Amino acid sequence: MASQVPTARGGPRLYGRTAECARLDELLGALQSGLSGALVVRGEAGSGKTALLDYAAASSDGCRVERATGVESEMELPFATLHQLCLPLLDRIEGLPAPQADALKTAFGLSAGRRPDSFLVGLAVLTLLSDAADSTPLICVVDDAQWLDHSSAVVLAFVARRLEAESVLLVFAEREEAALEELDGLPELNLGRLSPTDSRELLASVSRGPLDEGVVDRIIDEAHGNPLALLELSRGTASANLAGGFAVPETGPIASRIEASFRRRAAELPEDTQRLLLVGAADPLGDPTLLWRAAETLGIPVEAAAPAEESDLLEVGARVTFRHPLLRSAIYGAAPPPERREAHRALAEATDPERDPDRRAWHRAHATLAQNEEVASELERSADRARARGGLAAAAAFLQRAAELTPDPHLRVTRALDAARRKRLAGLAEAAQVLLATAEQGPLDDLDRALVVRLRAQIAWDESPGGQAPLLLLQAARQLEPLDINLARDTYLEALFAASNAGRLGGGVIQPARAARAGPAALGVPDTSDLLLNGLAVLFTEGHAAAAPLLKQALALARDEQGRDEHALRAIRIASRVAAEVLDDVAWSDLATRHVRVAREDGILSTLPVTLNYLASLRIYEGDLEAAAMLLDESDSISWSTAGAPADVTRLMLAAYRGDEAETLGRRRSLEAVAAATGEGLLLTVCEYESAILYNGLGQYEAALGLAAAAVSRDDLSVSVWALPELIEAAVRSGRNDVAAAGFEALAERTIATGTDFARGLEARSRGLVSEGAVAEASYREGIEVLGGTSMRMFLARAQLLYGEWLRRENRRVEAREQLRPAHEFFDRIGAEGFSARAGRELAATGLTVRKRVDETRRDLTPQEAQIARLAGDGYTNPEIGAQLFLSPRTVEWHLRKVFAKLDISSRRQLREVLPGSVHAA
């Protein structure tokens, strides 16, 4: 496909790919300069993707090159392609930080351990590649990426998105018609078809003699600019026809015709050679030792390889490689099923059951036609191993095949349901639905039926957090009650949480709350989830006064919770929202901080963005908008790295407190669209509450009043209670004292039940607003004193602002300044522009000249640079910072060099001096 005419970087010339080669040259140049990069080369089968990967490898003077290829038959084996890529680098695994080394060893089956999160494995691979590139730039090429196993795809996509300054280039090649979702959003290079001129030149470059012009024109017309089609069509046309033009045109898709050409060429080889090719096509390892052992089992002599090598179809060296991936699929697809089973049987016998039991089980499964419990049990054991290694999709695939081979109908249903559950956890909802349909065809007992309903409800919840999910979960919980009390209570909690998220767009929380209260009590000593269920069910049916003791008990247990499994972390996530509902800032801080810490330590990047958003909300209330912005930037970065959707909820509140009306309205419209699409009515309440903050800050009280009233009326969990102080403030300033009084009564009911210092401070501040004279003054002073003892500095400053405004209206200007000045300085320092301007206007009304703070040089740092600088200033090492922020140590060092240059410093010791202010460890 390529001649030997050198290009600018010394690689082979690729006809019609000058611009594409130039793009790779740019990346290779940046690589030599110490920067990293990633690229996805997309095109139809035969468009030259592999040739471009070869070009990158051939142009990589002074670089190390590692290669891997996705194989269709290996898509169910966990971390198969990743292991193939990293195998030459595993001698460096002991040099990784211990959690990363353990995760990678577990993922690759090198040791037993707790199931690692895919993204912790990703961080380990990122560090491994970075270490390997320490002395020599590293190029990793992954061909046929459309056939990556799910675990490898997630990890490699994560690594590609986190590369910055490691001297690592990661290049994927995948078919455009089967592109992986995991690679969406990465830099891409789309291969079009060759022009007629380039097609003619390519044909001429491989021709051994003169070509008939008419035949050349026909080949060019039929190949449609596909390079491999040009070569294979010319190979498949007899020399006499090339000279005379008598070949019969073919029709059909290009890939099919190329495969047909490969099949014709293979069919011309001796029978033993064809059988050897089939064994090679059935074995994705490319291990020549395994190939020869399997061939010996089938009675195929070693000499059978020679005709295939002479025909340029197969090469047996350090690895068994085919001329093109389409050749492998053509040979395997054309073989009759009995011959494929025979090849897999031989490979299973040749595979070491101790060293590679999973691949042996998979070959046995492909070699088995009838149901076979021995093979099914072996597959189930492989599923257990895959699950322990973090390969949820692989575990599901093993279980799915195990179910198909299970003779006992009841056990077949159990395995199918387990496979469906694993598919759902791996994010493969459609495949899970198919398995559920399969399970429903078997004999179902009552528990099976309930589990089917529950899983369908959970899939519905994943796909649309509102919608029908709460009712389906409620139905499942009721069916589970007489069968599995613990599972029933877990499902009731899910139903309540889903209903609270659905809010105004759902059926409400009353029905699931009543059902939960009428359901069975917890077995044994209640855990955090049990207490949360009890408290929330009472909250939604009887109100805060009745629920407060139960919710406090749940929070106390949650703060002592040491579990790190999915069940325990879900309880902590729900408890964080309960803490916000009962205005317990201390519990909220403990829970959110610990959840982030555990997510970091265990590498649970699938939930870390959510926990970072919880913590960022708390930082805003604490008055550290810069720390909140850093957490949100990190959340967005991880969401992008993990192909998730960045959350705008907390960014909306940040924009509101910054007084940025345009950004607030833009994010509000975006969230309202999300709510309409997903059925998450809670998002609408969030938009109303946070927009009310904006307008109270800007002094547009009528607008704030309408929004806060709408948010309060919904009584949505962990949101509406926070809108009550906004409602009271806006109502008083709008002259709606009746609304303010009713709002205060509702707030007091909650704060009295809660009894936290923060709740008492909010109540006192709000009482000042709805009171007059001495009562108002005493209330303001109490609120300021109590809030001053909490971490919620934003509310302290707002209380000072309100008291200062009251004093100024009482014509006590000097005393007003004593409250307004610190409030103004605080708002100005943190960048709360709306409240700063409001405090400034009040100060000006007292006769005091207000000067605006000038931003310091440190604002020139990017959010990521500022976060790294803070952690370095706290004494963290580069590997420790990298582990916290999911970056390689070399990227951390690269950012620190830029920080030092921007701040004109030369050491970490100076960071604390030039970056003053609070530092929150997350």
Side-chain angles (χ1 to χ4, degrees):
M1 197 183 302
S3 76
Q4 297 304 309
V5 179
T7 62
R9 295 193 63 87
R13 175 186 174 188
L14 301 181
Y15 290 97
R17 301 298 186 213
T18 302
E20 291 83 353
C21 289
R23 176 81 175 276
L24 284 171
D25 289 344
E26 290 177 9
L27 291 171
L28 292 168
L31 183 71
Q32 297 284 8
S33 301
L35 299 178
S36 295
L39 185 68
V40 181
V41 181
R42 289 196 179 95
E44 66 180 357
S47 59
K49 302 182 295 296
T50 302
L52 275 171
L53 297 187
D54 292 339
Y55 171 85
S59 304
S60 58
D61 292 341
C63 299
R64 177 174 182 170
V65 180
E66 300 297 345
R67 306 189 69 138
T69 302
V71 179
E72 189 172 12
S73 60
E74 274 207 322
M75 292 180 71
E76 292 83 6
L77 295 176
F79 301 108
T81 308
L82 186 69
H83 188 265
Q84 185 188 147
L85 182 68
C86 295
L87 186 61
L89 310 176
L90 291 185
D91 58 331
R92 299 174 176 270
I93 199 168
E94 297 301 336
L96 300 179
Q100 297 178 32
D102 292 344
L104 201 55
K105 288 177 184 177
T106 303
F108 288 162
L110 303 176
S111 65
R114 189 175 62 186
R115 186 184 79 197
D117 183 88
S118 295
F119 302 116
L120 181 58
V121 177
L123 179 60
V125 172
L126 178 63
T127 307
L128 188 72
L129 300 183
S130 175
D131 289 350
D134 187 45
S135 57
T136 304
L138 175 65
I139 300 174
C140 298
V141 294
V142 181
D143 205 353
D144 276 334
Q146 75 277 357
W147 288 333
L148 285 176
D149 62 277
H150 181 74
S151 301
S152 294
V154 169
V155 168
L156 288 173
F158 169 79
V159 171
R161 291 182 171 94
R162 303 304 283 184
L163 288 170
E164 287 191 63
E166 299 83 0
S167 294
V168 175
L169 176 61
L170 182 52
V171 185
F172 302 90
E174 68 173 1
R175 294 188 192 175
E176 59 186 1
E177 67 273 16
L180 289 176
E181 289 183 5
E182 289 85 355
L183 302 184
D184 285 351
L186 289 173
E188 60 184 44
L189 181 62
N190 293 302
L191 300 187
R193 297 184 172 184
L194 300 184
S195 68
T197 300
D198 290 325
S199 298
R200 190 174 297 275
E201 288 187 4
L202 176 58
L203 275 177
S205 73
V206 296
S207 173
R208 297 180 180 178
L211 301 178
D212 182 274
E213 283 300 315
V215 175
V216 170
D217 289 341
R218 180 185 63 78
I219 291 175
I220 290 174
D221 288 343
E222 292 179 6
H224 299 293
N226 183 288
L228 187 59
L230 286 163
L231 300 182
E232 290 305 315
L233 288 174
S234 66
R235 283 178 183 266
T237 304
S239 58
N241 287 331
L242 285 172
F246 298 110
V248 178
E250 295 188 56
T251 59
I254 289 295
S256 300
R257 295 173 62 190
I258 295 172
E259 288 186 341
S261 173
F262 281 136
R263 284 195 293 269
R264 283 195 300 270
R265 292 173 61 191
E268 297 171 358
L269 300 176
E271 182 180 347
D272 279 344
T273 302
Q274 293 183 46
R275 295 173 68 208
L276 185 68
L277 285 172
L278 176 58
V279 174
D283 167 39
L285 280 180
D287 181 352
T289 303
L290 186 65
L291 176 69
W292 294 130
R293 282 206 298 260
E296 184 180 2
T297 300
L298 295 172
I300 301 173
V302 174
E303 294 77 16
E309 291 182 317
E310 292 168 2
S311 300
D312 192 26
L313 296 179
L314 185 75
E315 180 179 343
V316 183
R319 292 190 62 199
V320 179
T321 56
F322 286 84
R323 165 177 164 74
H324 193 276
L326 283 175
L327 172 59
R328 179 194 293 272
S329 60
I331 291 170
Y332 189 83
E339 293 181 15
R340 288 204 296 264
R341 288 194 293 273
E342 182 184 46
H344 282 294
R345 178 184 56 77
L347 286 166
E349 292 179 13
T351 302
D352 188 328
E354 297 297 326
R355 294 181 57 190
D356 205 348
D358 298 336
R359 194 169 267 105
R360 180 178 182 273
W362 196 243
H363 281 307
R364 288 195 72 192
H366 281 286
T368 303
L369 178 61
Q371 291 177 334
N372 185 314
E373 178 55 32
E374 180 187 349
V375 176
S377 296
E378 190 174 345
L379 287 168
E380 189 169 37
R381 290 191 292 273
S382 290
D384 291 338
R385 285 189 292 268
R387 182 165 55 245
R389 292 160 58 188
L392 291 174
F398 282 124
L399 285 168
Q400 181 176 1
R401 182 59 176 151
E404 293 167 358
L405 295 176
T406 302
D408 181 79
H410 293 285
L411 183 55
R412 184 164 59 247
V413 168
T414 298
R415 286 170 172 164
L417 284 175
D418 199 5
R421 187 165 66 90
R422 299 295 166 187
K423 291 281 188 183
R424 178 245 167 180
L425 291 174
L428 305 172
E430 187 174 342
Q433 294 277 25
V434 171
L435 279 165
L436 280 178
T438 300
E440 286 178 308
Q441 295 174 7
L444 299 178
D445 59 24
D446 290 343
L447 180 59
D448 291 333
R449 291 189 185 89
L451 291 175
V452 168
V453 174
R454 182 174 191 254
L455 193 49
R456 286 201 189 282
Q458 289 172 326
I459 293 171
W461 192 10
D462 293 339
E463 295 180 339
S464 178
Q468 295 299 309
L471 290 178
L472 291 174
L473 286 165
L474 179 58
Q475 178 186 346
R478 284 171 168 160
Q479 288 183 230
L480 284 165
E481 273 191 25
L483 307 168
D484 188 323
I485 290 176
N486 288 333
L487 199 55
R489 289 181 61 82
D490 266 0
T491 310
Y492 273 126
L493 184 58
E494 288 180 338
L496 274 177
F497 202 57
S500 72
N501 285 338
R504 70 188 71 176
L505 299 181
V509 294
I510 299 297
Q511 185 181 0
R514 286 175 176 166
R517 293 193 68 181
L523 294 175
V525 179
D527 64 9
T528 302
S529 291
D530 287 318
L531 295 178
L532 286 169
L533 176 61
N534 294 343
L536 288 173
V538 173
L539 174 69
F540 293 140
T541 53
E542 294 187 33
H544 287 77
L550 295 170
L551 294 175
K552 288 179 183 179
Q553 187 182 0
L555 292 178
L557 188 58
R559 291 171 68 180
D560 291 335
E561 174 69 67
Q562 298 303 313
R564 303 169 84 99
D565 59 10
E566 181 183 346
H567 178 82
L569 293 180
R570 184 196 62 180
I572 292 175
R573 189 160 59 249
I574 296 174
S576 294
R577 283 189 56 186
V578 168
E581 174 67 22
V582 300
L583 303 174
D584 189 339
D585 57 312
V586 177
W588 185 6
S589 179
D590 284 353
L591 291 166
T593 301
R594 186 158 66 84
H595 201 174
V596 168
R597 187 185 72 248
V598 171
R600 288 194 195 284
E601 291 172 353
D602 290 4
I604 312 174
L605 268 72
S606 52
T607 61
L608 184 55
V610 176
T611 65
L612 287 170
N613 269 265
Y614 284 166
L615 194 56
S617 298
L618 188 64
R619 294 290 177 256
I620 292 173
Y621 291 145
E622 292 171 341
D624 196 343
L625 303 191
E626 185 176 350
M630 289 181 189
L631 291 168
L632 292 173
D633 284 329
E634 183 186 356
S635 172
D636 288 352
S637 173
I638 292 171
S639 294
W640 184 74
S641 299
T642 58
D648 280 343
V649 172
T650 313
R651 284 206 179 275
L652 174 61
M653 182 161 65
L654 184 62
Y657 266 112
R658 283 176 169 168
D660 190 332
E661 185 174 14
E663 183 180 354
T664 303
L665 293 178
R667 292 191 181 278
R668 179 180 167 187
R669 283 192 291 269
S670 175
L671 281 171
E672 288 171 343
V674 170
T678 63
E680 288 183 273
L682 182 69
L683 291 179
L684 300 176
T685 306
V686 169
C687 289
E688 292 159 351
Y689 157 59
E690 294 178 353
S691 298
I693 293 172
L694 168 75
Y695 289 116
N696 270 333
L698 296 176
Q700 299 179 29
Y701 301 113
E702 291 286 352
L705 176 58
L707 290 161
V712 166
S713 68
R714 301 299 174 178
D715 202 14
D716 281 338
L717 183 70
S718 73
V719 180
S720 293
V721 64
W722 293 81
L724 280 168
E726 305 299 334
L727 172 74
I728 296 165
E729 184 174 336
V732 168
R733 292 291 183 260
S734 301
R736 294 296 306 276
N737 293 334
D738 56 331
V739 175
F744 176 73
E745 184 178 343
L747 178 64
E749 177 190 354
R750 298 176 187 226
T751 55
I752 291 170
T754 299
T756 66
D757 286 346
F758 175 59
R760 290 194 303 109
L762 270 186
E763 179 190 340
R765 187 200 83 167
S766 299
R767 188 188 307 111
L769 277 164
V770 298
S771 303
E772 296 179 356
V775 174
E777 181 160 14
S779 297
Y780 282 129
R781 287 187 175 276
E782 179 188 355
I784 290 169
E785 179 182 358
V786 175
L787 289 171
T790 74
S791 64
M792 310 294 262
R793 314 303 291 179
M794 185 71 79
F795 293 91
L796 170 63
R798 291 187 63 178
Q800 290 173 318
L801 172 59
L802 290 171
Y803 184 32
E805 289 174 334
W806 183 85
L807 288 168
R808 205 267 303 167
R809 285 168 175 74
E810 294 289 314
N811 290 319
R812 295 158 62 180
R813 295 188 176 188
V814 174
E815 294 172 89
R817 291 172 190 167
E818 293 175 1
Q819 300 298 325
L820 293 170
R821 187 184 291 110
H824 178 263
E825 290 174 352
F826 174 84
F827 292 134
D828 192 39
R829 184 178 72 254
I830 69 171
E833 300 292 343
F835 287 102
S836 174
R838 179 174 150 188
R841 289 192 297 271
E842 289 292 325
L843 275 172
T846 69
L848 190 69
T849 302
V850 178
R851 291 183 176 84
K852 186 171 178 59
R853 178 181 60 90
V854 178
D855 280 348
E856 301 168 6
T857 305
R858 64 191 176 97
R859 298 289 183 181
D860 294 336
L861 299 181
T862 67
Q864 187 169 68
E865 289 168 353
Q867 192 169 22
I868 289 172
R870 283 189 171 200
L871 291 170
D874 277 356
Y876 289 95
T877 65
N878 287 358
E880 289 169 340
I881 296 171
Q884 281 207 34
L885 304 183
F886 298 91
L887 300 169
S888 72
R890 290 182 68 185
T891 290
V892 172
E893 177 60 31
W894 179 63
H895 280 300
L896 275 176
R897 286 199 298 269
K898 295 197 293 181
V899 167
F900 288 171
K902 288 183 178 182
L903 300 181
D904 194 24
I905 60 175
S906 58
S907 73
R908 292 173 180 246
R909 291 191 303 273
Q910 296 170 278
L911 284 170
R912 277 190 173 274
E913 301 171 10
V914 298
L915 291 175
S918 62
V919 178
H920 288 101

